[in-house]
Amino acid sequence: MKPIFISGIGTGIGKTVIAAIIAEALKADYWKPVQAGYEPGTDRALVASPISNSETVIHPGTDRALVTSLESNSETVLHPGTDRALIASLVSNSKTVIHPETYLLKLAASPHIAAQKENKRIELKKIADDLSEMDRSRPLVIEGAGGLMVPLNEQEFVIDIVKMLDARLVLVSRNYLGSINHSLMTAAVCRNYGLDVAGWVFNDQYMNYEQEIVRWSGYPALFSLPLMTPLSKQTILAAAESIPPEGMGYLYESL
């Protein structure tokens, strides 16, 4: 079963929200192997866990988040400010397992810089080893860090994770000045690397050029949605249930 990898045309374009929607729609597991930047000092309330019957406890100040399996009745510890914690607060089905990060880095910066600050080096083999320990019979949504050409170390980039894991790619595009250029450059990189691209998710209002990006890139639209506020389990579930059949078909082809 191929994992689905969520990437996009840049940073801050809604990958985590789209990952939550797709995980909810497919009742898939979630994993963000590289998290660069989180908020260890924020005050977060307990949230109901979407991955077990236990409570999800968000502990500030620890160096590593712990995740329990569906069979465990112990507590799940989540770092505030991580995308994993956000997913835990948004996904409501009882089947999704949220896996811990392979690399949890404090500095909100390019992962290779954040790792250097902690005297670490991001290794693709370690990411692959973590994947090998997961239940591969389950659908899995993987979220990347930033865009595809974000560096992980002095030689490798996020796109190398996609290739190594043989993942099917979902590209997230958000409407802003310059987003056509960034979208088409991302598509060009995907073609150059020979990636398996499921299609686009368009986040925010795209006026008349959503279909132009589809036509110019050659990749289909899976679904589009307006900028979502507020974010909640209810709005994520509603968005998951509103994915058109054609878009769901492209996603199921990945599994």
Side-chain angles (χ1 to χ4, degrees):
M1 184 176 294
K2 272 195 172 188
I4 294 174
F5 196 101
I6 311 293
S7 190
I9 65 173
T11 301
I13 46 82
K15 293 189 304 296
T16 306
V17 172
I18 302 306
I21 292 169
I22 293 177
E24 186 68 69
L26 299 177
K27 296 180 172 55
D29 298 342
Y30 170 87
W31 180 38
K32 182 163 186 172
V34 180
Q35 170 81 51
Y38 61 95
E39 303 169 30
T42 56
D43 183 17
R44 291 284 296 269
L46 300 182
V47 295
S49 172
I51 58 173
S52 71
N53 292 325
S54 61
E55 289 181 322
T56 300
V57 184
I58 299 174
H59 285 288
T62 55
D63 288 330
R64 179 76 179 178
L66 304 175
V67 163
T68 55
S69 70
L70 279 168
E71 292 77 23
S72 172
N73 290 320
S74 60
E75 290 181 335
T76 300
V77 183
L78 294 176
H79 277 289
T82 60
D83 292 329
R84 184 159 65 97
L86 179 58
I87 291 286
S89 71
L90 294 177
V91 176
S92 56
N93 78 84
S94 62
K95 293 184 178 180
T96 294
V97 175
I98 302 177
H99 296 284
E101 303 88 349
T102 301
Y103 293 95
L104 181 59
L105 307 167
K106 294 178 181 178
L107 182 65
S110 176
H112 77 295
I113 294 174
Q116 289 170 7
K117 290 291 185 181
E118 298 183 28
N119 296 313
K120 298 176 181 177
R121 185 180 189 275
I122 295 173
E123 303 282 353
L124 293 187
K125 183 181 183 303
K126 184 172 175 57
I127 293 172
D129 288 345
D130 279 359
L131 178 65
S132 70
E133 296 178 0
M134 299 177 192
D135 182 356
R136 296 307 305 277
S137 67
R138 292 273 306 140
L140 175 64
V141 171
I142 303 173
E143 182 183 349
L148 289 170
M149 298 308 296
V150 167
L152 301 173
N153 52 48
E154 66 279 2
Q155 294 177 319
E156 294 165 317
F157 302 82
V158 168
I159 199 168
D160 293 304
I161 301 179
V162 182
K163 287 188 68 69
M164 177 189 66
L165 301 183
D166 190 28
R168 194 148 197 249
L169 194 60
V170 169
L171 298 174
V172 182
S173 183
R174 182 175 180 182
N175 179 24
Y176 57 83
L177 187 63
S179 62
I180 295 177
N181 179 50
H182 294 161
S183 297
L184 297 182
M185 285 196 301
T186 297
V189 168
C190 291
R191 292 197 182 282
N192 186 52
Y193 274 72
L195 299 183
D196 180 9
V197 178
W200 293 100
V201 174
F202 293 99
N203 184 26
D204 211 338
Q205 299 297 333
Y206 256 81
M207 298 181 291
N208 296 322
Y209 56 90
E210 176 180 322
Q211 290 306 313
E212 292 177 328
I213 290 174
V214 167
R215 177 167 57 86
W216 286 324
S217 69
Y219 297 136
L222 304 178
F223 62 95
S224 58
L225 69 161
L227 194 63
M228 294 179 63
T229 54
L231 287 175
S232 68
K233 291 183 178 182
Q234 292 73 26
T235 58
I236 292 296
L237 178 59
E241 292 175 342
S242 70
I243 297 176
E246 185 178 14
M248 287 298 294
Y250 286 122
L251 292 173
Y252 276 118
E253 285 178 8
S254 306
L255 305 181

